[in-house]
Amino acid sequence: MSTASDVGYHAQRQARWHYGEIAFWLIVLACGFAFPSRYLIMTDILRLALFAMSLDLILGYAGIVSLGHAAFFGVGAYAAGLLALHGIVKEPVLALIVAGLAAMVLGFATSFLVIRGVDLTRLMVTLGIALLLEALAERFSNITGGTDGLQGIEMQPIFGEIPFDMFGKTGFFYSLAVLFLLFLLARRVVHSPFGLSLRAIKNNPLRAAAIGIPVNRRLIAIYTLAAFYAGIAGALFTQTTAIASLDVFAMERSADLMLVLVIGGTGYLYGGLIGAVIFRMLQELFSTITPQYWQFWIGLVLVVIVLVGRQRLHRWVLYVPNLIIRQIAGRKAIVAVPESDS
Amino acid sequence: MTIALETQNLEKQFGGLRVTRDLSLKVEQGARHALIGPNGAGKTTVINQLTGVLKPNSGRILLEGQDITDLPVHKRVLRGLSRTFQINQLYPDLTPLETIGLAVSERLGHGGDWWRRMGTRNDVNGEIADLLSRFHLLDVMNEATVTLPYGKQRLLEIAVAIAAKPRVLLLDEPAAGVPESERHDILAVVGSLPRDVTVLLIEHDMDLVFSFADRISVLVSGALLTEGPPEEVARDPQVKAVYLGEEAVDV
Ligand SMILES: Nc1ncnc2c1ncn2[C@@H]1O[C@H](COP(=O)(O)OP(=O)(O)O)[C@@H](O)[C@H]1O
Ligand SMILES: [Mg+2]
């Protein structure tokens, strides 16, 4: 084998599908058939997973911290609600895309504020933008319904064919399809030269610029894309629950998201998905055991994770899948090599 | 002779400290030009201004006759100006393959491709393979940079700068911190750069400077002390004084 094709082979190593990944998605799909009574919570997890994947794109790959990611979720949610309520775009998939684009426009506009500065400034700026939007949504209650939220949203059938049912079955498979498609796109993006340049910027912005990477332009691009993803997650929320209220902008929503990624890990795309499952399950578990103190327990888990070190936890979570994969594909093929986080 | 790189009355201050003083420097096309001077003379600060990491307080910088004083860092690279860092500036989590691949992709204008997997362009792969083997990095091309021995990291540092195919290359103490046993690789690589690449070398090791350079500029306290061919500079009593003074401190 010549060295050039050797290089090509190794350069694509991470981009190849691993058995563990295929198994992961098959299991998710199987859940849709195995637990027909749990569609609502499972749909909720899918939404959260998509939302977390959005944050992972900027945090895990480009190193941009945000405490205001709910801003884009909220814009997507209200956009989808208003489109449906006023019959502007009746078809859900089209409305979903329009809502995502609305969030994307906001993402692009605010990216210029966010990419400047250090982590702390970024936390404050992103938080500020989300709070501002929440205040605006409250102020313009004639449009947004104020504290009551948007009421009486009725969803039309998907593609004019598939109606949403009261058990949430359509909602679940619809959300899963959206999540999977957006995952495929994200997977393609992060393994591209563009995606690699983001990791370079996160690792060392000084060197990134010194090899000719237009750092700011790349950060703006990924921030805008992440806003689109978050907007889609928000729109899914409205479309599958038929409500949109002010809490879509809430800071808790952004903070929960950080927790999801702390649990699941960043920089390998599955962190948001795995984190969302564990986070919601912990939430369920703790709120059944101690309805009043579940937040305390979640907090405790967070502290433990930070103390034990996420790196090690990743290995626990991925221990069994990796074990299986190693048997099949040899030592070097593992589901994910989580990176350290700055 | 055409001038590849030039500074005109460059001036840089940190607070009250004048670190670059009215510096006018000309580096000829294809030259092997060394910029020497004691520690803290402001050599790295000059490089940082040339590459756009720092903005000068006043003065101009010309690359092949064109004013680049206000260009951002990445645009200077695309115009053919590339550098190595005195202290390695690499990507700890990335592999040598990825690190060099990025630099090559960026130069060929494919760095922003988001729809295509890394490693699917044969022209890019070929260049990566070429650089990896030239810099003795083939055997570690899939290891995370942070795990490489220092000498290999130093080679990677230089390889990345060269992956940008510069017409003007700035080397900031390329052999700094490299153990004696691994020095040879670095010197060989620096010595074998193509003649049409203009090189501005900053170096502390006088043996390396005198074996490599055909012209030497001496910087002291941010100002140009003297400049000329190596024999002349070596004889200069002022230079001797500066270096004897420093040598005494170093020992
Ligand atoms: N970012 C900075 N802020 C303040 N002072 C600096 C900075 N960078 C360098 N200096 C000072 O400028 C002087 C020259 O530094 P430098 O250019 O690194 O010297 P050299 O590379 O010749 O050893 C030193 O006194 C150093 O302390
Ligand atoms: Mg220096």
Side-chain angles (χ1 to χ4, degrees):
Chain A
M1 206 187 322
S2 80
T3 347
S5 61
D6 215 21
V7 161
Y9 174 83
H10 286 289
Q12 294 180 51
R13 199 177 35 140
Q14 289 194 349
R16 272 185 210 98
W17 279 84
H18 302 298
Y19 295 106
E21 295 185 81
I22 297 166
F24 177 91
W25 287 103
L26 286 178
I27 291 170
V28 174
L29 184 64
C31 285
F33 298 100
F35 309 107
S37 62
R38 311 280 282 161
Y39 281 133
L40 295 186
I41 176 82
M42 290 194 303
T43 307
D44 182 52
I45 290 175
L46 293 180
R47 269 187 323 249
L48 184 62
L50 177 59
F51 191 26
M53 191 162 81
S54 162
L55 184 63
D56 193 16
L57 282 177
I58 58 166
L59 179 64
Y61 287 90
I64 303 173
V65 290
S66 168
L67 252 188
H69 220 51
F72 308 121
F73 187 93
V75 166
Y78 270 101
L82 291 169
L83 290 174
L85 194 61
H86 301 299
I88 305 164
V89 179
K90 295 201 176 91
E91 202 287 309
V93 177
L94 199 58
L96 187 76
I97 294 169
V98 174
L101 290 177
M104 191 167 165
V105 169
L106 179 71
F108 179 72
T110 55
S111 66
F112 297 89
L113 302 170
V114 175
I115 60 165
R116 289 166 197 288
V118 291
D119 286 354
L120 190 63
T121 354
R122 285 172 171 172
L123 285 176
M124 291 303 117
V125 168
T126 49
L127 178 62
I129 291 168
L131 290 175
L132 194 78
L133 282 173
E134 189 176 4
L136 279 176
E138 199 171 351
R139 167 70 187 75
F140 291 98
S141 53
N142 51 336
I143 303 170
T144 62
T147 38
D148 298 333
L150 292 178
Q151 308 226 336
I153 298 171
E154 274 193 43
M155 292 309 298
Q156 300 300 311
I158 297 168
F159 300 130
E161 299 278 339
I162 314 159
F164 284 90
D165 60 311
M166 58 182 292
F167 307 104
K169 183 176 178 183
T170 306
F172 173 80
F173 285 104
Y174 172 53
S175 302
L176 180 56
V178 171
L179 174 68
F180 185 62
L181 285 177
L182 289 179
F183 172 82
L184 289 182
L185 176 65
R187 202 177 179 288
R188 181 40 70 108
V189 168
V190 301
H191 291 125
S192 69
F194 169 80
L196 189 60
S197 74
L198 295 176
R199 289 176 55 210
I201 292 168
K202 183 188 171 196
N203 265 256
N204 191 340
L206 180 65
R207 170 56 94 177
I211 64 165
I213 296 175
V215 173
N216 285 355
R217 212 190 308 160
R218 297 283 157 83
L219 292 180
I220 289 170
I222 194 63
Y223 196 76
T224 305
L225 181 68
F228 176 73
Y229 273 52
I232 297 274
L236 275 180
F237 174 82
T238 306
Q239 292 189 336
T240 51
T241 60
I243 42 170
S245 56
L246 286 178
D247 74 1
V248 291
F249 288 113
M251 190 200 145
E252 286 86 339
R253 198 176 284 281
S254 303
D256 279 357
L257 208 57
M258 285 281 214
L259 246 129
V260 168
L261 284 185
V262 166
I263 294 172
T266 58
Y268 68 108
L269 281 189
Y270 285 93
L273 314 188
I274 295 168
V277 176
I278 299 176
F279 179 77
R280 278 287 184 258
M281 286 190 352
L282 286 177
Q283 221 175 25
E284 282 253 302
L285 179 74
F286 292 142
S287 59
T288 359
I289 306 170
T290 57
Q292 285 150 23
Y293 302 114
W294 67 269
Q295 276 177 317
F296 163 81
W297 288 104
I298 291 263
L300 188 70
V301 169
L302 176 66
V303 172
V304 168
I305 288 173
V306 172
L307 286 183
V308 174
R310 196 162 3 119
Q311 294 283 29
R312 235 173 304 168
L313 268 187
H314 277 188
R315 291 197 194 112
W316 296 346
V317 172
L318 297 174
Y319 182 72
V320 176
N322 281 337
L323 206 67
I324 302 165
I325 291 153
R326 274 201 209 100
Q327 303 303 321
I328 303 169
R331 201 181 64 83
K332 282 217 160 167
I334 51 171
V335 173
V337 188
E339 298 165 60
S340 64
D341 213 30
S342 54
Chain B
M1 259 303 202
T2 41
I3 304 301
L5 185 64
E6 178 177 359
T7 68
Q8 298 175 342
N9 312 99
L10 209 61
E11 189 74 36
K12 178 71 190 174
Q13 305 180 2
F14 290 120
L17 189 67
R18 281 177 81 194
V19 182
T20 308
R21 302 175 187 230
D22 194 28
L23 180 69
S24 296
L25 196 71
K26 285 183 179 164
V27 182
E28 280 180 3
Q29 180 83 56
R32 295 287 179 267
H33 197 129
L35 180 64
I36 65 170
N39 255 330
K43 304 180 296 288
T44 299
T45 306
V46 171
I47 301 275
N48 282 338
Q49 293 170 82
L50 292 174
T51 53
V53 174
L54 291 174
K55 289 247 162 295
N57 292 67
S58 62
R60 314 305 301 172
I61 299 165
L62 308 180
L63 178 67
E64 293 170 336
Q66 292 185 317
D67 192 326
I68 57 163
T69 318
D70 299 318
L71 279 190
V73 176
H74 70 271
K75 291 207 173 143
R76 301 184 197 209
V77 181
L78 299 180
R79 292 234 190 147
L81 180 68
S82 162
R83 76 176 288 187
T84 66
F85 289 83
Q86 181 175 352
I87 298 162
N88 283 344
Q89 295 291 339
L90 297 166
Y91 314 116
D93 301 337
L94 269 52
T95 64
L97 193 170
E98 292 172 325
T99 306
I100 294 178
L102 273 171
V104 174
S105 302
E106 215 57 62
R107 170 169 52 78
L108 295 177
H110 309 307
D113 293 3
W114 56 266
W115 58 89
R116 178 175 67 75
R117 281 178 178 185
M118 198 74 198
T120 49
R121 287 193 67 103
N122 285 332
D123 50 346
V124 177
N125 293 344
E127 278 200 40
I128 299 173
D130 194 44
L131 282 159
L132 285 173
S133 74
R134 252 171 75 199
F135 286 84
H136 315 292
L137 291 165
L138 267 179
D139 51 332
V140 293
M141 69 178 178
N142 288 318
E143 314 287 327
T145 299
V146 68
T147 65
L148 301 183
Y150 186 78
K152 290 275 183 200
Q153 291 195 21
R154 208 60 196 149
L155 280 169
L156 181 58
E157 173 76 35
I158 301 172
V160 179
I162 292 182
K165 277 225 174 116
R167 286 194 298 282
V168 179
L169 178 63
L170 314 174
L171 298 170
D172 195 352
E173 304 204 20
V178 179
E180 204 56 46
S181 56
E182 295 171 46
R183 248 180 135 76
H184 174 79
D185 280 351
I186 309 259
L187 301 190
V189 158
V190 171
S192 67
L193 291 170
R195 277 311 306 193
D196 57 342
V197 176
T198 307
V199 182
L200 179 64
L201 171 77
I202 291 184
E203 189 46 72
H204 236 67
D205 182 335
M206 284 306 128
D207 292 340
L208 175 55
V209 167
F210 282 97
S211 69
F212 176 79
D214 47 31
R215 199 166 179 82
I216 298 178
S217 301
V218 185
L219 198 68
V220 176
S221 305
L224 199 59
L225 180 72
T226 182
E227 187 185 303
E231 321 79 62
E232 237 172 69
V233 171
R235 278 199 305 270
D236 192 314
Q238 278 181 292
V239 176
K240 276 188 184 159
V242 169
Y243 269 89
L244 284 178
E246 211 211 11
E247 223 90 292
V249 175
D250 271 353
V251 175

